[in-house]
Structure formats: structure tokens, C-alpha cells
């Protein structure tokens, strides 16, 4: 028995499923989790002293890689200064000033401790501002585990919703309407029925929590225009895409000015963080200035604030987006070339430095219903073959992968050798 197996057996006795976040349990890939003890750059090291090239990167925050040396200096300095204040400090002020000076659609910002908390708070603001109760979301877009967002569409297009999780009341589920992505007609019909009740439309402008479902710009523009026609606010969930695909995220790329935006991951430099921001009039509704209550003991933690600002400044200084865009494109092209050579039905798609592996399809996958039915078991086989080659990707076929600045051309080439062996093992007849 490996040391990871021993740790997992112990963990099962003290934690639900042996983990502190479901996907870590490896259930989606029919396996047992690896326990890791250290990380550096593009690499993870397990408790069994096996080294893996890491394309999960903590599910996206580590755009510079694990423990970037430059950011580490600020982290060490921060830890020597203070761990937490529970009071006003200059570090969150500096990060807030930097973000609001760079992004014209973020006029004010409030830091919290997670993406879930950011989304929950932003929607509370939207309901207060519009004096409406319903929220509209899209199938395949994940916005954290707040009760009202753990829902899926009911049998009727604009009918009641049911929850994806036990413990969520029917009353809460009914406040959320869900429609398919890439379907203007379905979206419009819901607004024709419920338009005067909808406080906000929330969407990932780059859906990346149920595969990488790249949307048509025209569809996103129609969503925004329709919402505004009916007086609903537009909330962009850029917890993944924010500061990952561009400094201003998808809002910048699309040229769309959302009313509110939620962030997380990269803005904390690898430490727990979330944030929501947007128009001044909306953000002024938040306590203590306004009637919308939201608070947090560890909000704007000084270590995360300093790590986040150091990360963002380095991203801008070193032109990280163009470097990673080219590197990720080349990486995916190489995987696709390998697959084509042995006629493997595998495809790697990407947007910026985010990539996704799935069964090859003739048309781009934009809805969850278009994901091939055998995707999950096929990915599970590839996942374990990659592990054998010393390559770690997220342990679910519906999670995306990430390149970081630490994934040099040399490391990518080393990884591609492992990918070639894994693809042959899984697909070659």
C-alpha cells in the first residue's frame, strides 16, 4: 500500500469522503487520490516522492506556477509582518486601487474569502438594487455552492427548478431559472415569461467548470442586451477567466461592461480570496454604506492581498498573456497532431492558457448536452495513463487544465512525450 493510500484510509475516518472538496476524491476517474506534500513551479511532489508535471495548478490560481520566487518574497515579508488584522490595513487598499485603476468597469470592489462568497454577495446586491427575487443562470455554468445556485432546469423550459444538492429547499430552488447555453430563443422565452421578476442574469462569459464551452460573442451580446431591456442586471462570473485570459478577463475581450463582476483565484496569488465589484451606485448598497449586509473575519487577508498584487504586477510586466497564449496553442496543437497520427478520437481545445481534453467532435461544444456520452470513462483511462507518465491533470473529465508561466517550452516538450505514450496506451489498437 502506498503512503497516499494510507493517508486516504485515515482521512476517510475523519472527513466526508476523505476529502475537503469533492473532486479531490478521484471518484470521477474511478481511482484513489494522491496526497501531495510539496510543489514548485510546474511540479507537484507526492507523499510517495513521485514528481508530476502539474496542469491543474490548484484549479487555476497559479498563473505564475507554484511558489513563484518573486511572489514568494512578498509572501515571506507579509507573514513576518502580520497574519491577519481583522481591521483596516494598507495592503487591500493597494490591491483595490490597482484593480480599479486598470479596469474601468470596476469602480469599487469588496474583497471576500472565496468565489462562492463573492457570487452570493453580488447577487444579494442585485436583488436589493432591482427589488426583484429571481436569478437566471445557464446550464453548465458553476457559480459556487450557495444554495440558490445549485440548481438545474426543470421539465418545462421556463418552469420551476430543482436542486442538484440535498439540503436546498424548494423555495430557494424556485428563485433560480436555468436555460441552456447558446440558445437565444430559450433565453428570450424565459424573459418573456419572468422578465419583470428577474433581478440578474449571471453567467461565466467563458464557461470553464463543465468543460471549456466557448460561447459565440453574438450569443453573449444578445444575453446582455435582453437582460438590460427588461431591467435585469448583468453579473459576469470571472472567478476562473478574470486575470487569466486577459487583464480585464472576458469583459475586456468581449468589450462588454457588466454591472457586477466576481473574481477569485489569481487575485490572491494562490491564497484564499474572492472579490466582487462593479458600478459605484451598486457597490454603495453594501454595508456599512448601504443596506446590503456582508462581512467576513478573514476578508482581505494581508498575505493574499500582497501575493495577489505581486502576481498581477508581474503578469503585466512580463506580458504573460501573450506568452501563455502561444505556448498553450502550441501545446494543444501537438496533442491534436499526436491523436491524428494514431487516429485517436481525442481533441485538445484552448482559450488563452486554459485547455480541455475531450472526444473529438465535428462542431465546437457549446452546451453540456453536446459533450459525447462516453467522455467520462474515456477521460478516466487517459487520466490514469497520464499519471503513469508523471503528468497530473484535474481528476475529472469536466474540469479544464491550465498552463502557467512556469511551464517552460522545455517542460511542455517533456510533458508531450508523456502525452504521446499515454494516448497510444489508451487509444492505439
Amino acid at each position: 500500500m502506498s503512503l497516499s493510500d494510507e493517508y486516504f484510509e485515515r482521512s476517510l475516518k475523519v472527513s466526508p469522503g476523505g476529502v475537503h472538496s469533492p473532486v479531490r476524491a478521484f471518484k470521477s476517474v474511478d481511482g484513489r487520490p494522491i496526497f501531495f506534500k510539496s510543489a514548485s513551479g510546474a511540479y507537484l511532489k507526492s507523499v510517495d516522492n513521485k514528481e508530476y508535471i502539474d496542469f491543474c495548478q490548484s484549479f487555476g490560481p497559479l498563473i505564475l506556477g507554484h511558489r513563484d520566487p518573486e511572489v514568494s518574497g512578498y509572501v515571506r515579508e507579509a507573514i513576518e509582518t502580520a497574519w491577519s488584522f481583522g481591521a483596516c490595513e494598507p495592503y487591500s487598499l493597494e490591491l483595490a486601487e490597482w484593480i480599479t485603476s486598470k479596469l474601468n468597469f470596476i469602480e469599487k470592489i469588496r474583497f471576500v474569502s472565496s468565489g462562492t462568497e463573492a457570487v452570493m454577495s453580488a447577487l444579494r446586491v442585485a436583488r436589493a438594487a432591482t427589488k426583484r427575487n429571481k436569478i437566471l443562470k445557464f446550464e453548465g455554468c458553476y457559480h459556487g455552492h450557495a444554495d440558490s445556485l445549485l440548481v438545474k432546469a426543470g421539465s418545462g423550459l421556463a418552469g420551476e427548478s430543482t436542486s442538484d444538492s440535498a439540503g436546498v429547499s424548494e423555495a430557494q430552488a424556485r428563485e433560480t431559472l436555468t436555460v441552456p447555453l447558446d440558445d437565444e430563443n430559450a433565453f428570450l422565452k424565459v424573459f418573456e415569461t419572468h422578465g419583470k421578476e428577474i433581478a440578474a442574469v449571471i453567467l461565466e462569459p467563458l464557461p470553464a467548470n463543465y468543460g471549456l464551452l466557448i460561447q459565440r460573442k453574438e450569443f453573449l451580446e444578445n444575453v446582455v442586451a435582453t437582460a438590460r431591456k427588461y431591467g435585469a442586471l448583468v453579473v459576469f462570473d470571472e472567478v476562473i477567466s478574470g486575470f487569466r485570459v486577459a487583464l480585464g478577463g472576458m469583459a475586456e475581450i468581449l468589450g462588454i461592461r457588466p454591472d457586477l463582476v466576481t473574481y477569485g483565484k489569481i487575485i490572491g496569488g494562490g491564497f484564499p480570496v474572492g472579490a466582487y465589484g462593479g458600478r459605484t451606485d451598486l457597490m454603495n448598497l453594501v454595508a456599512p454604506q448601504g443596506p446590503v449586509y456582508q462581512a467576513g473575519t478573514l476578508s482581505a487577508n494581508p498575505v493574499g492581498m500582497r501575493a495577489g498584487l505581486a502576481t498581477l504586477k508581474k503578469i503585466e510586466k512580463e506580458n504573460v498573456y501573450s506568452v501563455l497564449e502561444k505556448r498553450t496553442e502550441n501545446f494543444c496543437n501537438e496533442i491534436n497532431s499526436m491523436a491524428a497520427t494514431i487516429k485517436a478520437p481525442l481533441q485538445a481545445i484552448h482559450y488563452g492558457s486554459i485547455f480541455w481534453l475531450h472526444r473529438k467532435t465535428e462542431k465546437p461544444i457549446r452546451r453540456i448536452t453536446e459533450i459525447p456520452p462516453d467522455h467520462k470513462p474515456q477521460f478516466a483511462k487517459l487520466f490514469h495513463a497520464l499519471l503513469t507518465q508523471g503528468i497530473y491533470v484535474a481528476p475529472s473529465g469536466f474540469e479544464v487544465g491550465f498552463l502557467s508561466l512556469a511551464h517552460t517550452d522545455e517542460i511542455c516538450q517533456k510533458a508531450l512525450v508523456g502525452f504521446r505514450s499515454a494516448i497510444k496506451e489508451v487509444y492505439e489498437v
Side-chain angles (χ1 to χ4, degrees), residues 78-223:
I79 290 173
E80 290 300 318
T81 304
W83 295 356
S84 181
F85 290 108
C88 296
E89 32 64 44
Y91 311 113
S92 60
L93 172 60
E94 291 172 5
L95 181 54
E97 287 179 334
W98 194 91
I99 291 174
T100 55
S101 72
K102 300 293 182 180
L103 309 182
N104 62 11
F105 51 88
I106 303 296
E107 296 173 354
K108 286 192 174 182
I109 191 167
R110 169 66 67 86
F111 294 112
V112 291
S113 297
S114 71
T116 292
E117 191 180 354
V119 169
M120 178 182 69
S121 304
L123 295 183
R124 187 177 298 160
V125 169
R127 286 182 166 118
T130 60
K131 295 180 173 55
R132 300 174 179 181
N133 292 326
K134 292 190 182 297
I135 301 296
L136 189 146
K137 69 177 291 289
F138 293 88
E139 294 176 11
C141 288
Y142 176 72
H143 304 292
H145 59 88
D147 284 0
S148 63
L149 294 169
L150 287 175
V151 300
K152 56 187 176 182
S155 57
L157 179 65
E160 295 183 353
S161 294
T162 57
S163 176
D164 284 331
S165 171
V168 177
S169 72
E170 292 181 8
Q172 286 174 307
R174 282 196 297 269
E175 296 295 347
T176 303
L177 304 168
T178 310
V179 295
L181 287 161
D182 196 39
D183 190 335
E184 286 93 341
N185 290 332
F187 180 77
L188 182 58
K189 286 179 180 178
V190 170
F191 261 96
E192 288 174 345
T193 304
H194 295 285
K196 293 181 180 180
E197 305 168 79
I198 298 174
V201 174
I202 184 168
L203 75 156
E204 291 179 274
L206 180 65
N209 267 299
Y210 207 124
L212 185 59
L213 309 178
I214 302 170
Q215 298 299 297
R216 295 177 292 113
K217 183 179 181 181
E218 295 77 12
F219 170 70
L220 297 173
E221 289 174 336
N222 283 334
V223 165

Side-chain angles (χ1 to χ4, degrees), residues 352-373:
S353 56
I354 306 172
F355 70 93
W356 184 40
L357 305 169
H358 65 81
R359 175 175 279 277
K360 189 172 183 179
T361 57
E362 293 183 6
K363 297 179 180 179
I365 298 174
R366 304 197 195 279
R367 306 180 192 176
I368 59 175
T369 53
E370 295 169 350
I371 298 174

